[in-house]
Amino acid sequence: MKWIKKCPTLMLLIGLGLLFTIIGIVGRFTIYADQKYDPVTMPILSVMFTGMNDDIYPWQIFMGKSSIPTAQQLPEEEQVMAVQESQETAATPTEGISPEPTMLPEQEDTAFEEEQLPSVSGNSVSENALPDDVPDGGERLQPLRKSTHEEYLNHISADIYGDAGVLRAASYAFDTVDESYFDDALFIGDSRTVGLRDYTDLSEHADFYCETSLTIYKVLEENFKGLGTVREALENNDYGKIYLMVGINELGRGTTEDFIEQYTLVVDTLHQLEPDARIFIQGIMGVSAKKNSEDAIFNNSNINARNHAIATLADNKQFFYIDVNEVVCDEEGNLKAEYTFDQIHLLGVYNELWKQFLMNHGVLGQE
């Protein structure tokens, strides 16, 4: 026991190592379930550090899983089993969520509704558009109302825009194109876009800046491994099309206003950096009926509300809204069960549906 007293620093390091290992083991099945972990090459305590990099901290274990929004995933071993059982190509990794809701002071719903909406940069904002009177200009639509404090507290994405933006976007007559159309395209997205890259041949034509857990809040600053940032890509290359697909990881964080403010900033920045490129705002892909019915945050109601918001950015001239849910969801708007292994992501082979959808939604000719 004497040597223990003589080596306090060593004992402290050993104690911290044991503590971090315990946190890693417990967190691996709770708050750090979405972190990548290879038991052969990585110590279990490493999941804690990778999680902290995504702003998921050890003390959140004691907050209760229900209070920490996460998009659930299957362990990698189960992913492989699911793919083998379905006899499909291996599916893409699932998301790691790092919600950081903007804290608001306690107040009544009416007081919250009276607060000023976040400002929206870029084009001017128009009056609300009714379904039979959707403006065909480039004006961005005004919200029908504001999110309530109750909606914020319950992580409900308020549908504050309605479907006016979607209707305007759908009025555009898209063109059918071939693979060469994507030779000057840039795809930006989260792990769902990783699947599009890995399980179709679009990567032979387009550049992909995508990775698991990407959010709209990190799009502009993220350093994609081996590629650099999106800003650098736009400075060093000439792109004619930019495709953006993010949003699943942001559910449960802040309000619809917060989300659309940041989304608008990103879209306008992309346009400023590449003014001649057409920007395709892709609707957030839905989740399965099972996930939709069981999850209070990662459900299609919240997804639809945010899709209605980002659709308002489309002007059918420089910015276009397209929604792959048209080809991967059932009549109720749920991701088809046979298309997914984890209720969120497409099985590898079904990314081809997404590719074909994009080929049916090209924009040709002069504006």
Side-chain angles (χ1 to χ4, degrees):
M1 298 295 292
K2 293 182 179 180
W3 68 271
I4 296 178
K5 296 180 180 179
K6 294 180 180 180
C7 306
T9 302
L10 175 62
M11 295 308 301
L12 176 61
L13 293 175
I14 293 175
L16 289 175
L18 290 174
L19 175 62
F20 293 161
T21 298
I22 293 172
I23 292 173
I25 293 173
V26 175
R28 178 74 181 117
F29 301 100
T30 54
I31 61 173
Y32 296 133
D34 295 325
Q35 301 301 315
K36 293 182 179 179
Y37 171 61
D38 182 354
V40 177
T41 61
M42 300 170 61
I44 185 66
L45 59 84
S46 66
V47 300
M48 183 189 76
F49 295 102
T50 57
M52 290 174 64
N53 187 57
D54 286 335
D55 302 320
I56 305 175
Y57 299 100
W59 56 81
Q60 292 177 329
I61 292 176
F62 306 102
M63 295 170 60
K65 189 173 181 180
S66 62
S67 66
I68 305 172
T70 58
Q72 299 175 355
Q73 72 167 15
L74 296 174
E76 293 182 4
E77 296 83 359
E78 293 182 31
Q79 292 182 20
V80 175
M81 291 177 62
V83 173
Q84 290 175 340
E85 291 173 359
S86 61
Q87 297 182 343
E88 300 290 356
T89 309
T92 63
T94 53
E95 297 300 307
I97 311 301
S98 54
E100 300 173 4
T102 305
M103 298 308 296
L104 299 172
E106 291 293 333
Q107 53 191 305
E108 296 298 325
D109 288 354
T110 53
F112 182 73
E113 291 179 348
E114 291 173 357
E115 289 189 353
Q116 183 67 34
L117 280 174
S119 61
V120 179
S121 60
N123 296 352
S124 61
V125 180
S126 71
E127 294 300 321
N128 295 335
L130 300 175
D132 58 350
D133 185 27
V134 178
D136 56 6
E139 301 164 335
R140 290 177 178 171
L141 307 178
Q142 179 180 341
L144 301 172
R145 66 177 180 87
K146 301 175 184 178
S147 297
T148 66
H149 191 51
E150 181 180 3
E151 287 169 332
Y152 166 78
L153 292 177
N154 290 285
H155 301 297
I156 297 173
S157 295
D159 190 359
I160 60 175
Y161 285 92
D163 61 0
V166 172
L167 291 173
R168 179 168 69 182
S171 68
Y172 186 83
F174 290 95
D175 301 300
T176 299
V177 299
D178 59 24
E179 287 90 343
S180 65
Y181 175 79
F182 302 99
D183 288 343
D184 63 349
L186 171 64
F187 284 83
I188 305 169
D190 51 36
S191 65
R192 287 164 156 180
T193 301
V194 172
L196 183 67
R197 178 196 67 191
D198 291 350
Y199 301 110
T200 71
D201 61 0
L202 284 179
S203 61
E204 298 176 10
H205 300 273
D207 290 340
F208 280 78
Y209 279 61
C210 54
E211 64 181 22
T212 300
S213 304
L214 186 69
T215 69
I216 194 65
Y217 302 99
K218 295 183 177 181
V219 164
L220 297 176
E221 66 185 43
E222 188 72 14
N223 193 335
F224 295 86
K225 296 177 181 178
L227 297 173
T229 67
V230 167
R231 289 180 183 273
E232 292 170 342
L234 295 176
E235 291 171 357
N236 299 326
N237 301 277
D238 292 324
Y239 292 106
K241 304 102 184 173
I242 301 174
Y243 290 83
L244 180 63
M245 162 73 91
V246 291
I248 185 68
N249 293 306
E250 296 86 323
L251 296 178
R253 172 175 175 167
T255 63
T256 304
E257 287 93 335
D258 299 329
F259 178 70
I260 188 60
E261 180 182 32
Q262 182 63 23
Y263 206 107
T264 301
L265 172 64
V266 169
V267 166
D268 286 345
T269 301
L270 294 175
H271 177 55
Q272 292 168 5
L273 294 173
E274 197 71 84
D276 294 329
R278 295 184 175 103
I279 298 176
F280 291 84
I281 299 164
Q282 298 186 83
I284 307 164
M285 193 184 301
V287 298
S288 71
K290 181 176 186 297
K291 183 72 172 176
N292 181 61
S293 63
E294 295 176 353
D295 202 308
I297 294 175
F298 298 94
N299 57 56
N300 291 325
S301 177
N302 283 343
I303 289 173
N304 291 337
R306 296 202 171 189
N307 279 345
H308 283 171
I310 63 177
T312 63
L313 301 181
D315 60 7
N316 293 341
K317 295 178 180 178
Q318 201 74 34
F319 307 97
F320 300 85
Y321 175 78
I322 56 177
D323 190 0
V324 71
N325 288 306
E326 296 175 17
V327 297
V328 298
C329 291
D330 58 25
E331 294 179 354
E332 284 71 42
N334 301 310
L335 182 61
K336 292 183 179 179
E338 64 270 26
Y339 289 177
T340 179
F341 72 96
D342 66 348
Q343 321 306 320
I344 298 174
H345 296 83
L346 292 174
L347 280 164
V349 69
Y350 293 110
N351 283 281
E352 189 67 23
L353 294 174
W354 187 354
K355 173 194 166 184
Q356 293 300 321
F357 171 81
L358 295 175
M359 292 175 64
N360 289 328
H361 288 76
V363 177
L364 300 174
Q366 298 295 322
E367 297 179 3

